[in-house]
């Protein structure tokens, strides 16, 4: 039952976030706002990771006690772990893309500032 909640969250909330938040912004300020939004979502995601960890512990206890088939528990646990790890990797990739975009925009702004300095008219000597 709890594993269904994790799967449901990953597909409904997690994947929806990744699909609908695919912009990198168009300047450093916009990208910083996207990064802040991503950070807030990662904080929310920590609850899902924690719930998953608890499920993995419970599954191990159930397998050790013989309450359920070890093979069945290990199969289901492996599926859930794979789904969680795949989502976490996608979320990390998204963070990296935003960070690279932010660096790019910062460097572009710095370069533009320097170019404007170079394009100023040279003062004539008197």
């Amino acid at each position: 039952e709890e594993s269904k909640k994790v799967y449901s969250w990953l597909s409904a909330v997690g994947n929806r976030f990744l699909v609908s938040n695919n912009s990198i912004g168009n300047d450093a300020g916009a990208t910083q706002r996207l990064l802040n939004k991503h950070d807030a979502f990662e904080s929310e995601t920590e609850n899902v990771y924690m719930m998953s960890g608890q499920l993995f512990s419970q599954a191990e206890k159930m397998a050790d006690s013989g309450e359920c088939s070890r093979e069945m528990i290990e199969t289901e646990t492996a599926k859930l772990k794979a789904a969680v790890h795949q989502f976490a990797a996608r979320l990390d990739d998204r963070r990296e893309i935003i960070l690279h975009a932010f660096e790019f925009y910062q460097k572009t702004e710095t370069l533009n500032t320097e170019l404007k300095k170079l394009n100023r008219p040279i003062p004539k000597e008197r």
Side-chain angles (χ1 to χ4, degrees), residues 42-112:
E42 280 185 336
S43 293
E44 180 182 333
T45 303
E46 287 301 317
N47 293 329
V48 174
Y49 295 155
M50 191 169 55
M51 182 187 297
S52 298
Q54 292 169 349
L55 285 172
F56 300 145
S57 295
Q58 290 173 356
E60 186 66 32
K61 288 177 186 174
M62 288 172 66
D64 288 344
S65 71
E67 186 177 333
C68 292
S69 161
R70 178 172 290 281
E71 184 177 317
M72 182 190 78
I73 288 175
E74 288 175 351
T75 300
E76 292 304 314
T77 299
K79 287 179 190 176
L80 183 59
K81 280 183 181 179
V84 170
H85 288 299
Q86 181 184 34
F87 174 78
R90 290 176 60 212
L91 194 61
D92 288 345
D93 289 347
R94 174 77 179 130
R95 168 177 279 290
E96 286 300 311
I97 290 167
I98 296 170
L99 288 172
H100 287 302
F102 182 71
E103 287 179 40
F104 170 78
Y105 289 130
Q106 279 188 317
K107 288 178 181 181
T108 301
E109 288 171 7
T110 301
L111 180 61
N112 283 335

